[in-house]
């Protein structure tokens, strides 16, 4: 028995690893019944050798699949080992991993066997068993299977903390090219149902404290980056639409890992677009935490993000007329827009300046990245770095003084100026 | 003239020290833990033990001036056990009492910034331990874990584990500081091993349940297979899981 279960874990973890989300935050599920666990912390219990957080047991129920999506390892036509867990096996693994403090909970996805509802029903029954039979209060993230019925999505919402549908490709055109059997409408439908249901339950909860919680950590989605020709603008505008239209908690961007010789896709010898992925996440953060509109960062004049500098810096270089900011006077919203100053540092600056006027020394100690910020701010000091340099000049200064792993190839060129 | 104060090392006794410093109007002081004190100090050191009513008055004074977060942060700094932290904490406390306004976020003062940074370091270690505890199930149905944290974070993680693992017995043992906590399904108590004997038996595989090893192997396999080899990033991996923690992490055995 143990050899078989080992093999299943290997196959079905392997197949699940391309789903990037491993977040276990955003829920407030308490251990109210002296049962097992709670889901209120969002802890990364370990990190894989590729540096990704391991918070959940992220696994497929099965990698048998009726679809043949070109970008997916478990596509029907791919010649790989197949396996399937029973509902009880997934339950046992989750409980035993959880009790040993390996994980925060379960992230269960699946290949599609038979049809959408049949698959969704299995996923829901794992969650139901964990909650009702094992008094499990840990985190559960279920994949919504495109095309699953509203009834099943409702039941899923009762037991899961978070649900997600992968929209796979940023645009419909990309999806048609690589997954001709899939229909974008089937992906949108459960997302829409959940959005409405979550709003409804939140209202109900406000009136009646005892009403059950429903998908308290909301829903998310993921798209694959670099498998098709979309621009960064198309990708981030799509993300923006999902954030606004479906109240999504997160959009994940997954750099395409070459897994196939299919001519429609980048070849096996191409690298994973990790820098690009990083820049997309930075943009996502600027939209969600720094008060940027997506149109400020990406538009028809700038359809792609710079790879060698971060999106906030490139925005600032395009808008030099707004700088320098006086760090001792400017609003928090404006300080957040200074390259090299993060959310925490910005808040610290605003708190600290009530007591003293801040100088360069204070700013260094607070922890801001002065190598970038100094060209955009003035403070309580006679030394001024902002001297009406051109954008190119500033970029050159910053890159030459930086040890960023992204610019190794550029350093020699820069030295020529 | 610097007065040397030697205290017994507990939080309450540190607060008593603060009380005495104000009571006796002492100027420059150097506060040392009794096990760290050097023999060849000049002058006669002042020895101070815990006096709960005095400690309570200091706490009340601090509560009136600091937010809950601020007080928690001060306690975290104490748990850092960094050499000389008592003196830094004292200068912070003096600053707090000297000022009308709250100085908690006045990061322009070096002592405020320093304590905020140390507090964050301790908080990070607390968070790490909540992540890195790895329980192993013993024959007598107790989930056991050894830890060796950089700072004394057990007081900060007790509640987390008590809430989370309410329906199983567990022990978390700090090998460095030679004490641990034991939850018996009702409450959490401090425990001390007779180190040589008890700890040797913890290392003996026979004390664990039969399927304990199976779950460890499953976890190790899971850890291996969830990794994407073409995205290998050792620097990032080591940043998040520094090597000094590996010996207590099942996936890194």
């Amino acid at each position: 028995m143990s050899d078989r279960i080992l093999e299943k874990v290997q196959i079905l973890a392997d197949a699940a690893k391309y789903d990037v989300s491993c977040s276990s935050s955003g829920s407030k599920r308490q251990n109210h019944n002296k049962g097992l666990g709670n889901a209120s912390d969002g802890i990364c219990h370990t990190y894989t050798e590729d540096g990704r957080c391991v918070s959940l047991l992220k696994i497929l129920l099965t990698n048998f699949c009726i679809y043949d999506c070109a970008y997916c390892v478990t596509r029907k036509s791919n010649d790989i080992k197949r396996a399937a867990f029973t509902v009880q096996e997934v339950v046992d693994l989750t409980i035993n991993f959880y009790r040993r403090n390996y994980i925060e909970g379960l992230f269960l996805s699946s290949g599609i066997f038979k049809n959408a509802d049949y698959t969704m029903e299995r996923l829901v029954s794992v969650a139901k068993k964990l909650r009702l039979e094992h008094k499990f209060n840990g985190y559960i993230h279920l994949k919504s299977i495109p095309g699953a019925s509203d009834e099943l999505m409702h039941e899923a919402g009762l037991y899961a903390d978070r649900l997600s549908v992968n929209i796979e490709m940023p645009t419909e055109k990309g999806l048609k090219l690589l997954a001709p059997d899939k229909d974008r409408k089937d992906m949108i439908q459960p997302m829409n149902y959940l959005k409405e249901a979550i709003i409804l339950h939140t209202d109900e909860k406000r009136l009646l404290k005892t009403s059950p919680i429903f998908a308290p950590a909301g829903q998310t989605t993921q798209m694959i980056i670099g498998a098709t020709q979309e621009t960064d603008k198309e990708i981030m505008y799509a993300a923006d639409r999902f954030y606004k239209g479906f109240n999504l908690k997160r959009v994940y961007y997954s750099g395409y890992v070459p897994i196939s010789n299919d001519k429609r896709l980048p070849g096996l010898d191409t690298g994973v677009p990790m820098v690009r992925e990083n820049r997309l996440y930075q943009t996502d953060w600027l939209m969600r935490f720094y008060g940027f509109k997506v149109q400020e960062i990406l538009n028809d004049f700038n359809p792609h993000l710079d790879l060698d500098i971060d999106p906030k810096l490139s925005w600032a270089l395009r808008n030099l007329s707004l700088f320098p900011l006086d760090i001792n006077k400017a609003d928090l919203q404006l300080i957040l827009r200074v390259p090299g100053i993060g959310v925490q540092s910005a808040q610290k600056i605003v708190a600290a300046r009530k007591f003293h006027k801040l100088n360069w020394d204070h700013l260094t100690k607070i922890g801001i990245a002065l190598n970038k910020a100094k060209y955009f701010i003035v403070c309580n000091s006679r030394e001024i770095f902002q001297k009406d340099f051109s954008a190119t000049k500033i970029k050159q200064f910053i890159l030459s003084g930086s040890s960023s792993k992204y610019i190794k190839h550029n350093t020699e060129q820069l030295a020529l100026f | 003239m610097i007065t040397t104060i030697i205290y017994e090392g507990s939080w309450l006794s540190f607060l008593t020290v603060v009380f005495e410093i104000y009571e006796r109007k002492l100027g420059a002081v150097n506060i040392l833990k009794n096990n760290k004190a050097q023999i060849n100090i000049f002058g006669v050191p002042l020895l101070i033990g815990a006096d709960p009513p005095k400690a309570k008055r200091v706490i009340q004074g601090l509560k009136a001036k600091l937010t809950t977060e601020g007080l928690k942060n001060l306690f975290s700094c104490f748990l850092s056990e960094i050499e000389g932290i008592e003196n830094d904490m004292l200068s912070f406390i003096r600053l707090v009492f000297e000022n009308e306004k709250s100085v908690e976020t006045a990061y322009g003062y070096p002592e405020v910034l320093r304590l905020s940074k140390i507090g964050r370091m301790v908080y990070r270690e607390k968070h790490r331990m909540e992540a890195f505890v790895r329980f192993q199930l013993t024959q007598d149905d107790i989930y056991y874990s050894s830890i060796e944290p950089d700072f004394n974070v057990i007081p900060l993680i007790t509640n987390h584990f008590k809430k989370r693992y309410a329906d199983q017995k567990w022990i978390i043992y700090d090998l460095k500081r030679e004490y641990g906590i034991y939850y018996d399904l009702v409450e959490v108590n401090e425990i001390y091993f007779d180190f040589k004997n008890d700890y040797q038996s913890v290392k003996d595989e026979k004390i664990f349940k039969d399927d304990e090893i199976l779950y460890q192997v499953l976890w190790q396999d899971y850890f291996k297979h969830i990794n994407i080899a073409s995205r290998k990033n050792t620097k990032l991996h080591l940043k998040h899981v520094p090597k000094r923690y590996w010996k207590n992490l099942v996936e890194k055995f």
Side-chain angles (χ1 to χ4, degrees):
Chain A
M1 126 84 188
S2 66
D3 283 352
R4 185 64 194 131
I5 192 89
L6 272 170
E7 195 188 9
K8 285 187 188 180
V9 166
Q10 292 167 2
I11 293 172
L12 296 169
D14 244 328
K17 68 187 172 197
Y18 299 101
D19 232 310
V20 273
S21 165
C22 204
S23 157
S24 57
S25 54
S27 184
K28 290 197 181 72
R29 195 181 294 274
Q30 300 290 326
N31 190 341
H32 54 90
N33 47 4
K34 221 186 178 206
L36 173 62
N38 52 13
S40 44
D41 296 293
I43 298 169
C44 292
H45 284 272
T46 190
Y47 289 81
T48 44
E49 286 177 5
D50 56 24
R52 293 185 306 157
C53 158
V54 181
S55 173
L56 303 170
L57 168 62
K58 180 162 55 180
I59 204 140
L60 296 195
L61 189 58
T62 178
N63 64 343
F64 287 104
C65 193
I66 57 173
Y67 286 108
D68 203 34
C69 311
Y71 49 81
C72 182
V73 262
T74 57
R75 65 188 179 279
K76 190 173 58 183
S77 62
N78 201 15
D79 182 21
I80 49 163
K81 271 195 183 170
R82 307 274 167 171
F85 280 122
T86 63
V87 167
Q88 191 59 47
E89 282 170 337
V90 180
V91 169
D92 286 344
L93 268 179
T94 308
I95 294 288
N96 278 290
F97 278 10
Y98 195 88
R99 288 199 180 282
R100 287 166 175 77
N101 202 43
Y102 297 165
I103 53 172
E104 290 292 293
L106 173 67
F107 178 0
L108 189 60
S109 178
S110 183
I112 317 295
F113 46 118
K114 282 194 187 163
N115 58 51
D117 271 357
Y118 188 85
T119 310
M120 194 67 217
E121 207 183 325
R122 290 294 175 293
L123 298 186
V124 170
S125 62
V126 170
K128 188 173 179 177
K129 216 170 178 143
L130 281 167
R131 294 282 189 238
L132 302 185
E133 286 177 28
H134 293 267
K135 289 212 240 166
F136 179 71
N137 302 307
Y139 196 90
I140 299 179
H141 179 162
L142 292 185
K143 198 104 270 189
S144 317
I145 303 298
S149 70
D150 290 355
E151 290 75 27
L152 279 170
M153 290 318 298
H154 177 76
E155 225 188 333
L158 289 178
Y159 304 120
D161 293 280
R162 173 167 284 181
L163 289 140
S164 63
V165 188
N166 287 357
I167 56 157
E168 321 281 14
M169 294 298 143
T171 60
E172 219 162 331
K173 200 178 67 198
L175 189 70
K176 272 275 159 302
L177 176 72
L178 297 181
D181 314 338
K182 276 194 178 166
D183 191 341
R184 186 101 176 203
K185 272 199 236 76
D186 290 338
M187 302 174 176
I188 299 294
Q189 175 234 325
M191 229 189 242
N192 224 349
Y193 174 79
L194 284 171
K195 177 199 155 195
E196 301 298 334
I198 289 170
I199 293 175
L200 199 75
H201 275 80
T202 323
D203 285 349
E204 225 175 81
K205 190 97 189 145
R206 216 171 281 143
L207 293 172
L208 193 64
K209 282 270 174 285
T210 51
S211 65
I213 48 176
F214 187 89
Q219 45 174 347
T220 61
T221 192
Q222 163 176 318
M223 38 192 162
I224 299 169
I225 302 310
T228 41
Q229 298 303 316
E230 281 94 355
T231 61
D232 291 343
K233 180 187 157 220
E234 283 176 288
I235 294 167
M236 293 314 300
Y237 278 48
D240 191 49
R241 275 197 304 278
F242 281 108
Y243 278 127
K244 291 190 177 133
F246 300 95
N247 305 337
L248 293 195
K249 297 282 182 190
R250 287 286 301 274
V251 174
Y252 291 92
Y253 313 90
S254 167
Y256 173 70
V257 180
I259 40 119
S260 153
N261 272 322
D262 194 310
K263 290 217 166 51
R264 290 169 290 174
L265 287 163
L268 282 173
D269 51 349
T270 37
V272 184
M274 283 163 75
V275 180
R276 185 178 181 201
E277 188 187 286
N278 181 241
R279 296 296 179 224
L280 290 168
Y281 276 112
Q282 287 174 322
T283 308
D284 186 283
W285 251 248
L286 291 179
M287 287 156 54
R288 291 189 300 133
F289 303 117
Y290 290 79
F292 280 88
K293 290 204 181 70
V294 67
Q295 294 82 358
E296 295 180 88
I297 306 165
L298 289 158
N299 46 50
D300 288 337
F301 302 105
N302 308 285
H304 276 291
L305 299 166
D306 284 322
L307 289 181
D308 56 354
I309 54 171
D310 66 82
K312 200 209 264 186
L313 179 56
S314 53
W315 171 84
L317 291 175
R318 292 199 302 268
N319 294 280
L320 279 179
S321 60
L322 301 174
F323 298 101
L325 282 187
D326 184 340
I327 220 72
N328 287 302
K329 291 195 185 120
D331 285 346
L332 177 65
Q333 282 76 6
L334 292 175
I335 295 180
L336 282 170
R337 290 179 169 242
V338 177
I341 300 185
V343 176
Q344 283 196 355
S345 307
Q347 285 164 348
K348 270 198 171 159
I349 287 170
V350 174
R353 72 184 183 190
K354 290 185 192 146
F355 299 90
H356 318 267
K357 289 210 157 177
L358 306 178
N359 58 32
W360 294 118
D361 195 37
H362 292 130
L363 292 173
T364 313
K365 284 193 181 129
I366 281 174
I368 75 170
L370 270 192
N371 66 324
K372 285 185 200 167
K374 66 184 175 190
Y375 301 106
F376 302 94
I377 54 176
V378 290
C379 58
N380 189 30
S381 165
R382 241 175 286 172
E383 204 178 348
I384 290 175
F385 295 94
Q386 199 278 344
K387 289 179 179 144
D388 295 323
F389 292 122
S390 69
T392 339
K393 199 85 184 161
I394 295 176
K395 181 172 169 180
Q396 184 192 327
F397 282 146
I398 291 175
L399 285 181
S400 62
S402 152
S403 57
S404 165
K405 56 187 176 287
Y406 303 136
I407 55 151
K408 273 178 207 138
H409 312 295
N410 286 344
T411 41
E412 252 171 89
Q413 275 180 335
L414 286 167
L416 295 175
F417 286 101
Chain B
M1 166 75 188
I2 297 179
T3 314
T4 299
I5 299 177
I6 296 176
Y7 78 115
E8 66 188 24
S10 69
W11 172 239
L12 282 186
S13 60
F14 170 74
L15 293 169
T16 312
V17 168
V18 176
F19 183 92
E20 294 294 344
I21 288 170
Y22 274 87
E23 180 80 358
R24 300 172 193 219
K25 298 193 168 63
L26 297 179
V29 295
N30 184 23
I31 310 171
L32 297 168
K33 264 195 201 69
N34 61 1
N35 59 351
K36 292 268 166 64
Q38 309 270 322
I39 304 163
N40 56 348
I41 29 177
F42 298 103
V44 184
L46 200 56
L47 301 169
I48 293 178
D51 183 335
K54 289 178 178 170
K56 206 173 158 200
R57 278 189 50 193
V58 176
I59 280 287
Q60 276 164 346
L62 287 170
K63 269 189 183 158
K65 288 279 199 172
L66 294 174
T67 63
T68 322
E69 290 308 304
L71 195 55
K72 251 194 209 161
N73 195 68
L74 195 65
F75 180 55
S76 297
C77 289
F78 178 76
L79 295 177
S80 75
E81 300 173 337
I82 289 173
E83 218 176 300
I85 189 68
E86 294 87 350
N87 295 326
D88 291 330
M89 290 171 67
L90 178 68
S91 23
F92 174 78
I93 291 170
R94 282 188 155 145
L95 200 62
V96 169
F97 287 140
E98 274 162 22
N99 280 276
E100 278 294 303
K101 276 202 291 183
S102 161
V103 292
E104 208 172 308
T105 52
Y107 301 108
Y109 290 114
E111 45 282 75
V112 176
L113 197 64
R114 180 165 161 77
L115 287 205
S116 138
K117 278 191 177 151
I118 291 176
R120 265 233 301 279
M121 279 159 64
V122 176
Y123 181 81
R124 200 171 63 188
E125 191 67 359
K126 162 203 180 273
H127 192 74
R128 260 189 189 139
M129 284 307 122
E130 287 172 356
F132 290 170
V133 157
R134 294 287 178 267
F135 289 121
Q136 308 187 52
L137 183 57
T138 63
Q139 294 283 7
D140 36 5
D141 283 315
I142 297 172
Y143 285 85
Y144 172 83
S145 169
S146 303
I147 56 171
E148 290 165 79
D150 291 347
F151 309 119
N152 181 19
V153 293
I154 280 187
L156 300 176
I157 63 175
T158 308
N159 252 333
H160 167 81
F161 283 98
K162 190 179 165 193
K163 265 194 263 168
R164 172 162 293 196
Y165 297 107
D167 72 340
Q168 68 189 45
K169 292 185 205 166
W170 50 260
I171 290 173
I172 297 171
Y173 204 85
D174 184 339
L175 294 179
K176 263 193 203 165
R177 294 165 189 84
E178 302 193 1
Y179 84 107
I181 42 176
Y182 170 48
Y183 172 71
D184 59 5
L185 300 178
V186 182
E187 52 176 21
V188 178
N189 286 304
E190 274 191 19
I191 52 162
Y192 303 87
F193 285 162
D194 167 359
F195 218 68
K196 298 243 158 34
N197 300 325
D198 296 349
Y199 184 61
Q200 276 318 308
S201 70
V202 165
K203 283 163 75 180
D204 182 358
E205 277 180 13
K206 280 197 289 285
I207 78 153
F208 295 112
K209 280 249 178 349
D210 294 342
D211 61 2
E212 175 54 37
I213 296 300
L214 170 65
Y215 282 108
Q216 290 186 13
V217 173
L218 282 167
W219 175 241
Q220 287 156 354
D221 264 30
Y222 173 73
F223 180 74
K224 220 180 292 157
H225 284 269
I226 203 72
N227 177 51
I228 301 180
S230 53
R231 296 183 62 120
K232 190 176 165 80
N233 189 342
T234 309
K235 200 173 138 196
L236 192 59
H237 173 64
L238 289 177
K239 186 182 144 201
H240 288 303
V241 193
K243 275 194 176 148
R244 63 182 181 283
Y245 299 102
W246 287 14
K247 61 184 159 192
N248 293 313
L249 288 174
V250 171
E251 65 272 23
K252 286 293 186 183
F253 278 177

